[in-house]
Amino acid sequence: MPSLGIEIKRRCRSCGKEFIIKTLDSYYCSPKCSKAAHARKKRAEEKERKMALIAKMVPTIREFISVKEAVAIYGVERQTLYRLLRKGIIPCINIG
């Protein structure tokens, strides 16, 4: 491929290092960063799939739900849920 004589720099989406792109759709500085980003994406998709499965299995007629079920249903992080419980925004009862 003939060179145009211009260098376009981008910041790697994985490690943050600056690099000169080889193609217009380059987002990662190396194959290592590309594989790490792909693995992160797959883990996030798997986690999302598991949470959707948990949320689907929770019965609609139930007075109480566990923290794990609440995280799956409402799509918030566990720490966010605990913070909202401490502030009293969400009512809670400690059964265990």
Side-chain angles (χ1 to χ4, degrees), residues 11-83:
R11 191 165 295 277
C12 180
R13 289 185 177 179
S14 183
C15 68
K17 188 174 93 174
E18 254 190 29
F19 68 100
I20 299 171
I21 65 170
K22 294 179 182 162
T23 62
L24 288 176
D25 59 346
S26 296
Y27 296 109
Y28 303 105
C29 64
S30 65
K32 180 182 174 184
C33 286
S34 178
K35 288 176 185 175
H38 180 70
R40 254 193 320 273
K41 182 180 174 186
K42 288 295 181 187
R43 278 193 305 270
E45 288 172 356
E46 182 64 21
K47 182 179 177 183
E48 184 67 31
R49 189 187 63 74
K50 284 181 182 179
M51 288 295 153
L53 184 63
I54 291 171
K56 197 162 118 179
M57 292 175 58
V58 175
T60 55
I61 303 171
R62 200 156 134 193
E63 293 183 35
F64 304 105
I65 58 174
S66 69
V67 172
K68 190 175 189 177
E69 293 168 341
V71 166
I73 291 170
Y74 299 115
V76 296
E77 290 293 323
R78 201 174 97 238
Q79 293 300 323
T80 303
L81 186 64
Y82 279 122
R83 185 175 2 97

